[in-house]
Amino acid sequence: MDQPICQFASDNYSGICPEALDALLAANQGDAPAYGNDPWTQKAADRFRDQFETDCEVFFVFNGTAANALSLAALCQSYHSVICQETAHIETDECGAPEFASNGSKLLPARGENGRLDPVEVERLITRRSDIHFPKPKVISVTQATELGTVYDLDHLHALRELASHYSLKIHMDGARFANAVATLGKTPAQLSWQAGVDVLCLGGTKNGMAVGEAILFFDRELATDFAWRCKQAGQLASKMRFIAAPWLGVLDSGAWLHNARHANEMAAYLEQRLREVAGLEPLFPRQANSVFLALDPRVIERLHAQGWQFYTFIGVGSARLMCSWNTTREAVDRFMIDLAQALHS
Ligand SMILES: *Cc1c(COP(=O)(O)O)cnc(C)c1O
């Protein structure tokens, strides 16, 4: 293999964390029933019910796009609409999968500061049209942590919940980085989900340190009626389900789920600190999770890329996004800072 790559590109560039890999290997013993009828899948679902302190319905799918698209389809009829922040992954990075899976439910992008939904703007979208010619709002979709590396605290969630209950809407949460939000906010998973009015949570495993797999938690069990069939039809029912479920058990039982997220957040905090100290650079948005966004001169970006650093420049707002992960090291941050300082001054 070539040199290991230097990257702050994404938390899905990282490999599998040891806790997930060990659990995967441990599940590879002998034969087990297929399609989720195995002990690992049952146990992992129970562990989610323990962690979230509620009797939710749990499903496992391959990736986040499927989790979002299928869960939104379960909440909507084709004539409904989903209000989301304009930078939301469902709007900008899922190739129309939510609309496709729901046979046409429309996404209504809402503006809002720092990647969050602004309740005033959300209400404006809800009430703008109520005639028969426009899709009927049905869901508010919240990304936690947001695409811009910020989080919704309990007050933010409370304001959205008020709107949802007032207008009889459901709340969907895209929690690809939910663990990072839990780690930052110091609130329990329950407080940040169903206790805050979330009806369905798409919980990210991949970016947290697993090889593959996201969980979908329906806190309102009614909404999960026939959902297993929807997953199967969409090609999201793994026949060897135990290999998706077992790593979840590994990260939940060991605490790696939150430990990984906390580490990623800490590395981003360290990066933010060094950017300020070494280069006088301020992040574009308050850094609350595991990413730092920077406005960098295109020539500086080019130099860093030429030195082998990989990071995205098109996510969210077109600036440089530096994303940390469960396996980001301080040394990587330090090396990046040396190259950045040089790129800024040459
Ligand atoms: C990565 C990500 C997803 C899931 O993406 P997949 O590539 O489909 O697994 C969903 N939402 C957000 C906010 C993400 O960052």
Side-chain angles (χ1 to χ4, degrees), residues 159-327:
L160 294 173
R161 179 198 201 154
E162 292 280 287
L163 285 176
S165 45
H166 189 259
Y167 293 101
S168 303
L169 308 184
K170 302 291 178 199
I171 296 186
H172 163 267
M173 184 171 272
D174 177 348
R177 300 190 179 92
F178 183 78
N180 300 87
V182 173
T184 282
L185 288 161
K187 298 281 184 271
T188 65
Q191 285 174 309
L192 291 172
S193 58
W194 61 276
Q195 289 177 5
V198 174
D199 295 293
V200 55
L201 169 66
C202 298
L203 187 60
T206 314
K207 288 171 182 155
N208 188 250
M210 289 174 42
V212 63
E214 319 277 296
I216 305 173
L217 276 54
F218 283 92
F219 301 113
D220 178 349
R221 298 178 66 102
E222 286 278 296
L223 294 170
T225 306
D226 293 348
F227 191 72
W229 279 265
R230 193 183 289 284
C231 290
K232 173 66 189 182
Q233 185 183 52
Q236 287 288 324
L237 176 66
S239 67
K240 290 191 181 174
M241 180 81 85
R242 64 173 146 150
F243 298 114
I244 292 188
W248 271 116
L249 257 187
V251 298
L252 290 171
D253 277 347
S254 63
W257 180 57
L258 286 178
H259 173 83
N260 285 349
R262 196 168 300 120
H263 174 82
N265 292 354
E266 281 168 7
M267 287 302 105
Y270 178 58
L271 176 59
E272 177 192 16
Q273 179 202 327
R274 298 301 292 153
L275 286 164
R276 207 171 264 139
E277 289 169 357
V278 175
L281 289 171
E282 286 294 322
L284 285 173
F285 314 106
R287 187 221 49 87
Q288 298 180 315
N290 56 327
S291 57
V292 180
F293 285 76
L294 286 179
L296 285 181
D297 189 301
R299 280 167 307 181
V300 174
I301 291 177
E302 211 172 288
R303 280 179 207 130
L304 287 167
H305 282 163
Q307 282 180 293
W309 288 102
Q310 301 191 25
F311 53 89
Y312 289 126
T313 51
F314 67 87
I315 303 219
V317 286
S319 48
R321 185 191 76 171
L322 304 172
M323 180 67 77
C324 297
S325 176
W326 70 269
N327 65 351

Side-chain angles (χ1 to χ4, degrees), residues 63-65 68 89 94 143 147 174 176-177 207:
N63 60 26
T65 298
N68 284 331
H89 200 269
E94 299 191 353
T143 311
E147 282 76 4
D174 177 348
R177 300 190 179 92
K207 288 171 182 155

